[in-house]
Amino acid sequence: MFYDLIVTSSYYKRPTDRYIFKIMMKENKQLLVIIHLSQFLDFITGIGGFVLPLIIWLLKKDEIYELDYHGKTILNFRISMFIYTLICIPFVFLFGVGILGFIILGCIYLIFPIVNAVRASNNQTPHYPLSIQFIK
């Protein structure tokens, strides 16, 4: 019984699994910022703002610390914005209210990638509003 007490008390003095996981992976804040800002490629290519974060996330999620979480939040945000855009289209033709929806979605689409790029450079977790978690 005394031995069990010593073993369990030494367990709490070990570094946490998250700390060990962080030591094994590289920390690259620049790549986290780039993956958030790469969403603006939609203005140039049309779909590059979804494809480039997807490719970076698939290739580097096991190598870069917290890239898995950032990549999932970006992809969830992009899929959610696409669905909201599809919902706004019929409302433009039916009621004209969809134009207001497009303006609100455009503001969210322009502001939050920049905000989350700054948050990523400051080692904070990203948060995209109205984002549905498709990828967990």
Side-chain angles (χ1 to χ4, degrees):
M1 215 173 204
F2 182 69
Y3 179 73
D4 291 336
L5 183 63
I6 293 173
V7 170
T8 56
S9 66
S10 67
Y11 176 76
Y12 292 109
K13 293 180 182 176
R14 288 185 356 173
T16 61
D17 291 334
R18 183 176 169 92
Y19 179 73
I20 292 170
F21 190 65
K22 184 177 178 181
I23 290 174
M24 292 174 23
M25 300 180 81
K26 293 185 237 173
E27 186 174 27
N28 191 349
K29 287 193 263 183
Q30 290 86 12
L31 188 61
L32 295 178
V33 171
I34 288 171
I35 196 171
H36 284 284
L37 294 178
S38 68
Q39 297 178 61
F40 291 124
L41 283 175
D42 277 349
F43 297 121
I44 298 171
T45 62
I47 195 162
F50 180 77
V51 173
L52 186 63
L54 177 65
I55 290 171
I56 292 173
W57 175 66
L58 288 174
L59 295 177
K60 298 289 185 176
K61 68 180 176 182
D62 296 328
E63 299 173 16
I64 307 296
Y65 178 66
E66 288 191 348
L67 183 67
D68 187 36
Y69 180 73
H70 285 261
K72 287 178 184 177
T73 56
I74 290 169
L75 294 175
N76 286 329
F77 173 69
R78 297 303 308 245
I79 294 168
S80 300
M81 292 298 283
F82 180 71
I83 290 171
Y84 295 141
T85 303
L86 289 179
I87 291 171
C88 285
I89 291 171
F91 284 110
V92 169
F93 295 123
L94 295 177
F95 307 113
V97 180
I99 295 172
L100 180 64
F102 281 131
I103 292 171
I104 292 171
L105 289 177
C107 291
I108 290 172
Y109 182 72
L110 286 174
I111 293 170
F112 282 97
I114 297 170
V115 168
N116 287 311
V118 172
R119 290 180 68 131
S121 69
N122 293 332
N123 286 334
Q124 297 174 348
T125 58
H127 173 70
Y128 286 99
L130 304 173
S131 183
I132 304 168
Q133 283 196 340
F134 295 103
I135 304 169
K136 295 182 181 185

